[in-house]
């Protein structure tokens, strides 16, 4: 099970006990924010894309949206999200639980600048009912290495 893989991954950081599992779904930004009792912007959503260089994950603030122009300038390709049925085999986690931890080999992780507004963010942990609270330095340290910072999102007006 994906969440067990993520908990085992966090063991190397001594943080496995911080992974939270809910009795309700946290599969979307809104559901995760309700489960955690926080603002949706603080949810660190992980979106999966196919590029000519392979699969990339972009972790962004819950209120951010991909800016197609910025994405193309950064990755030199159009933003093409993985299809539902491609996500788990290519990334290693199911839709609703995609996160930058314990992902398949060959998957690259990018953290979007939209996250830097917050002290703590809440990414999923491999299942549609899990999350962990991390500071930005902790997220940088715990995400699959090497981590690359990008600016490919736009915030609401």
């Amino acid at each position: 099970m994906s969440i067990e893989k993520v908990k085992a991954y966090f063991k190397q950081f001594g943080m496995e006990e911080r992974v939270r599992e809910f009795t309700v779904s946290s599969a979307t930004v809104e559901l995760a924010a309700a489960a955690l009792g926080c603002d949706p912007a603080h949810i660190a959503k992980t979106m999966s894309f196919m590029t000519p260089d392979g699969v990339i994950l972009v972790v962004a603030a819950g209120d951010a949206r991909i800016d197609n122009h910025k994405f193309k300038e950064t990755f030199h390709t159009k933003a093409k999200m993985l299809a539902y049925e491609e996500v788990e085999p290519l990334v290693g986690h199911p839709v609703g639980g995609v996160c930058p931890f314990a992902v398949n080999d060959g998957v690259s992780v990018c953290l979007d600048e939209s996250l830097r507004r917050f002290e703590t963010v809440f990414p999923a942990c491999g299942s549609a009912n899990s999350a962990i609270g991390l500071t930005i330095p902790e997220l940088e340290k715990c995400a699959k290495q090497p981590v690359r910072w990008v600016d490919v999102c736009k915030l609401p007006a």
Side-chain angles (χ1 to χ4, degrees), residues 81-92:
M81 291 190 78
L82 294 180
Y84 181 93
E85 62 277 359
E86 295 175 312
V87 174
E88 192 165 7
L90 293 176
V91 175

Side-chain angles (χ1 to χ4, degrees), residues 12-152:
Q12 68 184 306
F13 304 106
M15 299 166 79
E16 69 275 16
E17 298 301 320
R18 289 173 54 184
V19 174
R20 296 176 60 183
E21 290 185 79
F22 309 110
T23 57
V24 296
S25 176
S26 59
T28 67
V29 168
E30 293 74 21
L31 292 172
L36 286 158
C38 71
D39 187 292
H42 288 261
I43 302 302
K45 63 183 175 185
T46 305
M47 299 168 282
S48 50
F49 297 89
M50 182 57 76
T51 71
D53 296 326
V55 175
I56 62 164
L57 300 179
V58 175
V59 185
D63 62 345
R65 300 288 175 255
I66 291 294
D67 180 311
N68 289 319
H69 178 72
K70 287 180 174 182
F71 189 98
K72 189 167 187 174
E73 291 234 331
T74 301
F75 297 111
H76 312 291
T77 191
K78 194 173 180 177
K80 182 185 180 300
M81 291 190 78
L82 294 180
Y84 181 93
E85 62 277 359
E86 295 175 312
V87 174
E88 192 165 7
L90 293 176
V91 175
H93 302 304
V95 171
V98 176
C99 61
F101 320 114
V103 297
N104 291 345
D105 288 338
V107 174
S108 299
V109 174
C110 299
L111 304 178
D112 186 74
E113 290 290 331
S114 61
L115 296 167
R116 291 194 195 261
R117 299 175 291 156
F118 306 112
E119 189 173 313
T120 302
V121 294
F122 299 90
C125 289
S127 72
N129 66 329
S130 63
I132 187 169
L134 297 172
T135 64
I136 298 304
E138 287 174 331
L139 176 61
E140 264 185 313
K141 178 178 89 173
C142 295
K144 181 187 179 212
Q145 298 298 315
V147 167
R148 174 180 172 194
W149 280 96
V150 295
D151 181 9
V152 297

